[in-house]
Amino acid sequence: MSAPTTRCTEGLTADNAALVLIDHQTGIMPLGVQGVPPVQMRNNAVSLAKAARLHNLPTVLTGSAADGPNGPLRSEITDLLPGVPRRRTRQ
């Protein structure tokens, strides 16, 4: 028996979607990820933040303690999204 498939026919909108940017902090982003140079990773995150602002997309920023080794959230992102909720996790 195969699992039923569902099809999403409704496009994404600010009413049915949200953006969560996780750990875009000054101490983490310079490290990059495998296969993505740090500058490209930063540019991608900034582009997502700009798109979220342009489309009034609900957005949440998360990160660990700003005074820890990961540092504060990147200002390029927080400056684009003033008033966006920010959630901190403990290290």
Side-chain angles (χ1 to χ4, degrees):
M1 174 189 289
S2 64
T5 59
T6 57
R7 228 168 102 179
C8 181
T9 57
E10 181 181 4
L12 295 176
T13 69
D15 294 323
N16 66 11
L19 174 67
V20 180
L21 294 171
I22 301 169
D23 289 345
H24 289 88
Q25 295 173 258
T26 58
I28 295 175
M29 289 187 70
L31 303 175
V33 294
Q34 185 176 357
V36 180
V39 171
Q40 182 180 353
M41 190 169 125
R42 181 195 55 133
N43 291 343
N44 290 347
V46 169
S47 294
L48 282 171
K50 286 179 180 179
R53 183 180 69 180
L54 177 68
H55 296 290
N56 296 315
L57 187 64
T59 304
V60 175
L61 305 174
T62 69
S64 57
D67 57 353
N70 296 338
L73 294 169
R74 299 288 304 214
S75 62
E76 300 98 319
I77 295 170
T78 58
D79 290 349
L80 285 169
L81 301 168
V84 165
R86 299 175 190 177
R87 304 290 183 241
R88 293 282 180 204
T89 58
R90 291 183 179 208
Q91 291 181 305

